[in-house]
Amino acid sequence: NNGTPDRLSEYDTKPSDIFTFVSTNRLVRDKGIRELIESFKLFHEKYPKSQLILVGNGPKEEEEKYIERMMFR
């Protein structure tokens, strides 16, 4: 266990009007995470009451790249 359940507890699990996508993967290039983030950006522009939660780990530099891509608000 890499501590993922503790990190998930940061998110509100009460019912809401926010549509939530959750992806559980190793955060590495060959898993298509970049494409997922880019696709979600387009979805989020049309449906702002949405969120994407990425659960996983990977090489630190890969994780940082994904976090940078997610900071689009």
Side-chain angles (χ1 to χ4, degrees):
N1 185 325
N2 64 6
T4 301
D6 293 334
R7 285 189 259 164
L8 283 177
S9 66
E10 297 172 20
Y11 296 97
D12 185 7
T13 57
K14 297 179 185 107
S16 71
D17 61 348
I18 297 174
F19 192 87
T20 302
F21 292 91
V22 179
S23 175
T24 58
N25 282 301
R26 283 186 25 239
L27 300 179
V28 294
R29 184 169 300 184
D30 65 338
K31 294 290 185 176
I33 303 300
R34 179 177 160 257
E35 292 83 358
L36 172 63
I37 292 169
E38 296 302 321
S39 297
F40 179 75
K41 283 182 184 181
L42 297 173
F43 182 87
H44 185 72
E45 287 173 7
K46 188 169 182 178
Y47 303 100
K49 288 189 171 190
S50 61
Q51 65 181 349
L52 172 62
I53 300 173
L54 298 177
V55 180
N57 61 9
K60 192 68 170 170
E61 56 278 354
E62 289 289 322
E63 289 180 22
E64 290 170 1
K65 286 179 193 174
Y66 295 129
I67 290 170
E68 287 174 22
R69 286 193 182 98
M70 295 281 302
M71 300 308 221
F72 58 90
R73 292 189 208 197

